[in-house]
Amino acid sequence: MVRLSSVMKLLIAAAGAGSLAAGSALAQDGEAQEAHYRLFIGDHEQGIVRAVEVDDGASAGEFRIDQTPALYPSTSGKTVFAVQGDAGKVAVISTGILFEDHGDHADLRIEDARLLPTVIEGTKPAHVIEGSGTIAVFDDGSGDVQLFPESQVLEGSFAPRTLSAGPAHHGLAAPMGDFTVVSVPDEDPEAPRVGLKVIDADGNQVGDIVECPAVHGQAQSARVFAFGCRDGIVFATPGRDSSAPELEHVSTADLGEDNVSTLKGGIAMQFFLGNYGPSAVVLIEPGSDAMFRKVELPTRRVDFALDPARPRNAFILTEDGQLHRLDVLTGEIEESARVTEPYSMDGHWRDPRPRLAVAGEHVAITDPRQGLVRLVSTDTLKEERTIAVEGVPFTITAVGGSGAVH
């Protein structure tokens, strides 16, 4: 067992206490508690997003857009952003899963999912990143960033604030309070990004550029953002007294020659899980003595996801069709099981391969060849049932949770 940092211990304790408090409130008040999850699935060949109920596999809506989307759920779970870069659009879907916070518990309300009238347009919109209650859409085709609260798209009052982050490039923008961390392109438009910088509410640079060669991938955990670089990780930490975020580069040279380019951020614990080359992942705990823990996989990695309800669980699918449950506290794979036929990582990176989403007690896995979503138990890694999905199910995200129903 690895030694846990004091920060991670406190976060685990807080998460556990919060769960117990919510459970006690429901028991005392005698309210019914219900869990409800919906899957939103992007088709690989058509511009369609299909919504499916996890409990019975029933359709919760079919939404026609312009092309195969990348799907980004909002932090609240009220919306899913369907990014169609080559079409120059981002569609917004209201999930119909709503939680009303009452301090010691949340009320759950379920409505119809619907395609909202707001369409976010740009030259080539790419990454959607949320932070500090603000959503940022970065436009690769212009280098501009559109910033707005989620309420604007839900209420039909879309009026984003647009900032120029520099020349057009395949970039990203992460909101942090009154500031935004943005990628910095090379002078050669064909070359990878060179670093990160902070801009203020007017788009002015604050502080120096921090080197982060070929920056790609980001995630947030406990108000800290992490960004993947060719030679390490850059952490963006909120500044004190409304000052600008602080950027720090940490080398990953001791882990080998590969690098991080995709990141997931822990919710109840402060940590990050990233890829590291084709057949490994790395656990990242900012501020700890052992900041990086590399975990080798038996074959090349296809996709990975964190379990928001059970913060110590991560799930990784490898090209041999095996699903692995990783304990993020010990850094060990504690169980593996075959869940699909093999999906080779040879070929184009956009070829249809399975994607993962965790929905309550299940890992939902798209199986494009079979036209299925496979629901696998998070506890046993056994397939409990499947949901037939029209077309070629590909990208997937899950929205939902538990709440009181009056």
Side-chain angles (χ1 to χ4, degrees):
M1 175 77 73
V2 298
R3 184 176 64 83
L4 299 180
S5 72
S6 58
V7 173
M8 188 174 277
K9 287 178 180 177
L10 288 171
L11 286 166
I12 296 171
S19 299
L20 290 172
S24 298
L26 289 171
Q28 292 170 2
D29 295 342
E31 298 171 335
Q33 186 176 24
E34 181 178 326
H36 196 96
Y37 290 89
R38 275 181 183 157
L39 303 174
F40 292 83
I41 304 157
D43 191 272
H44 187 270
E45 296 182 349
Q46 304 178 69
I48 297 176
V49 178
R50 295 179 173 91
V52 176
E53 307 287 15
V54 171
D55 58 355
D56 61 4
S59 172
E62 181 175 295
F63 311 106
R64 293 190 174 272
I65 52 178
D66 291 279
Q67 67 175 62
T68 297
L71 300 177
Y72 296 87
S74 66
T75 300
S76 71
K78 294 178 181 178
T79 53
V80 169
F81 293 84
V83 178
Q84 309 147 78
D86 291 338
K89 298 177 181 179
V90 179
V92 189
I93 299 169
S94 172
T95 66
I97 307 294
L98 306 172
F99 294 92
E100 184 178 348
D101 183 22
H102 291 284
D104 60 350
H105 72 281
D107 288 348
L108 170 65
R109 189 167 81 251
I110 302 167
E111 300 177 350
D112 293 337
R114 58 194 176 94
L115 186 64
L116 296 175
T118 298
V119 177
I120 304 168
E121 297 184 341
T123 307
K124 191 175 183 180
H127 290 103
V128 176
I129 302 173
E130 186 173 356
S132 305
T134 298
I135 295 169
V137 177
F138 189 90
D139 192 329
D140 286 0
S142 66
D144 290 345
V145 183
Q146 296 186 64
L147 300 161
F148 54 91
E150 182 182 31
S151 59
Q152 287 189 0
V153 295
L154 286 168
E155 297 168 2
S157 57
F158 187 60
R161 180 165 50 94
T162 302
L163 300 178
S164 175
H169 66 285
H170 181 47
L172 52 80
M176 297 188 71
D178 295 329
F179 301 88
T180 307
V181 181
V182 296
S183 53
V184 178
D186 191 280
E187 293 181 358
D188 178 358
E190 301 299 323
R193 286 104 15 229
V194 298
L196 293 160
K197 66 180 180 181
V198 177
I199 58 175
D200 64 17
D202 297 318
N204 300 313
Q205 181 176 329
V206 180
D208 298 328
I209 294 173
V210 173
E211 291 186 3
C212 183
V215 55
H216 192 282
Q218 87 299 314
Q220 185 179 26
S221 181
R223 299 184 65 219
V224 173
F225 269 98
F227 303 87
C229 317
R230 184 178 289 161
D231 60 354
I233 297 288
V234 166
F235 296 109
T237 306
R240 297 181 180 179
D241 301 324
S242 301
S243 60
E246 299 176 359
L247 305 182
E248 179 188 9
H249 179 281
V250 180
S251 173
T252 52
D254 291 344
L255 299 180
E257 296 181 356
D258 290 312
N259 65 285
V260 173
S261 60
T262 301
L263 285 157
K264 312 284 185 181
I267 297 175
M269 302 186 294
Q270 187 181 62
F271 76 97
F272 299 91
L273 179 65
N275 62 342
Y276 204 79
S279 54
V281 293
V282 59
L283 287 159
I284 305 163
E285 188 183 346
S288 69
D289 295 336
M291 192 177 301
F292 302 114
R293 289 177 287 155
K294 185 178 177 182
V295 181
E296 298 285 355
L297 303 172
T299 56
R300 290 178 292 186
R301 179 196 60 258
V302 177
D303 195 22
F304 62 102
L306 300 178
D307 187 336
R310 301 164 189 79
R312 67 187 296 163
N313 288 348
F315 297 93
I316 307 161
L317 182 70
T318 48
E319 65 179 347
D320 56 0
Q322 288 203 88
L323 183 67
H324 311 273
R325 187 172 64 233
L326 172 68
D327 186 328
V328 304
L329 302 186
T330 66
E332 297 177 356
I333 292 175
E334 57 183 11
E335 192 162 355
S336 301
R338 176 69 61 83
V339 293
T340 71
E341 62 184 285
Y343 275 85
S344 173
M345 290 302 291
D346 291 333
H348 197 281
W349 66 273
R350 283 186 174 176
D351 289 345
R353 299 183 182 91
R355 294 290 183 266
L356 310 181
V358 181
E361 304 290 333
H362 298 97
V363 184
I365 306 170
T366 57
D367 193 338
R369 290 180 193 153
Q370 304 301 322
L372 298 172
V373 170
R374 300 184 182 277
L375 296 177
V376 175
S377 166
T378 56
D379 291 330
T380 66
L381 298 193
K382 293 182 179 179
E383 181 180 293
E384 295 192 343
R385 52 196 169 88
T386 62
I387 299 173
V389 180
E390 293 183 19
V392 183
F394 180 42
T395 54
I396 186 171
T397 191
V399 174
S402 299
V405 179
H406 296 279

